[in-house]
Amino acid sequence: MKSDTLCPCISGLEYKNCCAPLHKGEITAHNAEQLMRSRYSAFVLENVDYLISTLHPDKRKPDDEIVLKQTITETDWLGLQIIKHRSQQTTASVEFIAFYQEAKIEQLHEQSNFIKLDKQWFYVDGKFLPATKVSRNQACFCGSGNKFKHCHGRN
Ligand SMILES: [Zn+2]
Ligand SMILES: [Zn+2]
């Protein structure tokens, strides 16, 4: 299996069996974590339409497309780590860290809130959290299967 068939959300699954059916609108997310993953892959794959369609309708703004496109162009995403997923009937939160490359490796550590409307989950908003220390022995966030210290943590 070529690595470029793997889903960008670092699930270890092939894209076509992971986030692709969501991006194509064939299925909707079973839960907020799946939606969160698919939104991360949409960032990596520059799928602005999907990012807007999974945003809560009340949260959409006229300049969403421009802002998202700019974020996508400026950001070099490296990987995703889901920390915690808490879900109730119609509300959920997902804490995650999305890693990206600037002069050095940076983290977007966020707790995102989701709401289920008419059987479909939507992203509502998020709260930024401080960056955390990445353990040198943990599996690298990029999904390489190597330890962090032998992969993106090598310097
Ligand atoms: Zn995926
Ligand atoms: Zn890595």
Side-chain angles (χ1 to χ4, degrees), residues 91-148:
T91 57
S93 71
V94 179
E95 181 185 343
F96 67 91
I97 305 175
F99 294 87
Y100 60 98
Q101 183 74 56
E102 289 200 332
K104 59 188 181 72
I105 294 168
E106 302 285 352
Q107 297 182 14
L108 169 66
H109 183 190
E110 185 181 313
Q111 180 176 308
S112 292
N113 299 307
F114 298 86
I115 281 185
K116 197 178 189 181
L117 293 176
D118 198 19
K119 296 183 183 163
Q120 201 180 330
W121 285 100
F122 289 93
Y123 172 68
V124 181
D125 54 20
K127 181 176 76 178
F128 294 127
L129 301 170
T132 61
K133 192 166 163 29
V134 180
S135 156
R136 296 186 46 76
N137 285 315
Q138 78 175 57
C140 192
F141 46 73
C142 71
S144 64
N146 297 320
K147 287 182 179 176
F148 176 63

Side-chain angles (χ1 to χ4, degrees), residues 7-11 13-15 18-20 37-38 41:
C7 192
C9 80
I10 323 288
S11 58
L13 301 171
E14 285 193 69
Y15 174 62
C18 188
C19 293
R37 287 184 165 283
S38 69
S41 346

Side-chain angles (χ1 to χ4, degrees), residues 25-50:
E26 293 168 0
I27 57 167
T28 55
H30 298 305
N31 57 44
E33 180 179 331
Q34 194 182 19
L35 184 70
M36 160 54 266
R37 287 184 165 283
S38 69
R39 283 177 53 84
Y40 173 82
S41 346
F43 269 106
V44 177
L45 299 170
E46 312 189 0
N47 188 339
V48 173
D49 291 345
Y50 184 78

